[in-house]
Amino acid sequence: MKLTHESAAKFIPEDRTLPVLRDAVQQCHGCDLYRNATQAVFGELETGANAERPKAAIMMIGEQPGDQEDRQGKPFVGPAGKLLDRCLEEAEIDRRKVYVTNTVKHFKWEPRGKLRIHKKPSMKEIHACRPWLAAELELVTPKLIVCLGAVAAQSLLGLSFRITQSHGKIQQAEGFPPILATLHPSAILRARTDEDRHRDTATLVGDLRRAASFLKS
Ligand code: URA
Ligand code: SF4
């Protein structure tokens, strides 16, 4: 058994403001994922870009940056992000007021020809990266967390959590604000038929509408 507990904790500065954390995460060696990534992709709130303690009602948590996010240094700016934007608009949620981040801050991938194919982060990597997510939660203090996909949902709600069974329902977990989990837009993009894609998109939009109405209640 390995006795050293690898984690991001020791890379997190005392001065916890968003700009300071965003700089510091670039130096993180809390797990091996920094080695093959272009940069770390931290969370952001477009309308509070330079705020030290940006407040947002919703924190949306994805899995990890993808190819485009890794290049651009911003979360959800590639194909999945475009789909998310459309679904948010349909659910009448202003993305610029949502703090958007990921469970793991570096892109994990493997080469396939010239492409860099997304690889699911391991539990070890998810745990190692947790202190960054905890620091973001502490600063943003959202009223609701929206988990996109199983990696985010299971990392907060436990490995037995099933999106297929419990999506769109408000969950309570010790030490967290209320959590609602839904489908990951990347999973929708991988759907095999148009019919599946339409159905899954409607599920995501429906769940986002529930998030919006929870915040109004
Ligand atoms: N998928 C994610 O989970 N996060 C991103 O930022 C982009 C794609
Ligand atoms: Fe650090 Fe997270 Fe990147 Fe691992 S994935 S190096 S813990 S920021």
Side-chain angles (χ1 to χ4, degrees):
M1 197 169 80
K2 209 169 162 198
L3 290 172
T4 51
H5 182 64
E6 278 184 81
S7 147
K10 61 175 177 287
F11 298 93
I12 300 194
E14 292 276 304
D15 175 16
R16 301 215 180 158
T17 65
L18 210 63
V20 167
L21 292 177
R22 179 169 290 119
D23 280 348
V25 74
Q26 300 304 337
Q27 315 304 322
C28 184
H29 294 179
C31 73
D32 283 336
L33 294 186
Y34 73 93
R35 293 178 188 277
N36 294 325
T38 309
Q39 57 191 316
V41 178
F42 208 57
E44 65 171 25
L45 172 71
E46 282 177 42
T47 47
N50 301 312
E52 296 201 335
R53 286 175 179 75
K55 298 295 172 208
I58 299 181
M59 179 186 278
M60 207 162 266
I61 308 176
E63 182 182 312
Q64 58 164 333
D67 178 76
Q68 285 299 316
E69 290 77 16
D70 174 75
R71 294 172 200 274
Q72 297 182 39
K74 290 157 93 56
F76 283 102
V77 291
K82 298 281 181 298
L83 176 57
L84 179 63
D85 287 350
R86 286 203 297 280
C87 292
L88 282 169
E89 210 175 306
E90 231 181 287
E92 294 177 22
I93 296 174
D94 184 351
R95 170 165 170 171
R96 297 173 313 132
K97 294 185 181 158
V98 175
Y99 185 89
V100 180
T101 192
N102 283 300
T103 307
V104 163
K105 311 305 191 215
H106 277 105
F107 181 32
K108 182 177 185 182
W109 59 279
E110 59 189 4
R112 193 170 303 160
K114 283 188 183 148
L115 296 178
R116 301 190 299 169
I117 304 296
H118 152 277
K119 227 178 147 194
K120 196 172 153 177
S122 68
M123 280 314 286
K124 194 175 156 212
E125 290 150 355
I126 291 168
H127 278 137
C129 211
R130 174 59 72 88
W132 291 112
L133 193 61
E136 289 177 293
L137 272 168
E138 216 173 86
L139 280 173
V140 180
T141 57
K143 294 195 170 59
L144 178 69
I145 293 175
V146 174
C147 289
L148 298 172
V151 166
Q154 293 184 341
S155 105
L156 301 189
L157 295 166
L159 285 174
S160 59
F161 183 83
R162 293 284 170 269
I163 299 248
T164 43
Q165 284 167 21
S166 305
H167 69 88
K169 297 187 191 124
I170 300 292
Q171 312 287 332
Q172 307 288 345
E174 179 81 33
F176 290 104
I179 300 171
L180 180 149
T182 185
L183 302 179
H184 195 297
S186 297
I188 299 178
L189 292 174
R190 285 193 301 270
R192 272 191 293 265
T193 65
D194 283 348
E195 199 184 335
D196 287 356
R197 189 157 39 248
H198 287 141
R199 184 201 56 214
D200 291 351
T201 307
T203 301
L204 175 52
V205 171
D207 290 348
L208 292 174
R209 287 208 175 104
R210 285 191 206 178
S213 60
F214 171 80
L215 290 175
K216 284 186 198 129
S217 66

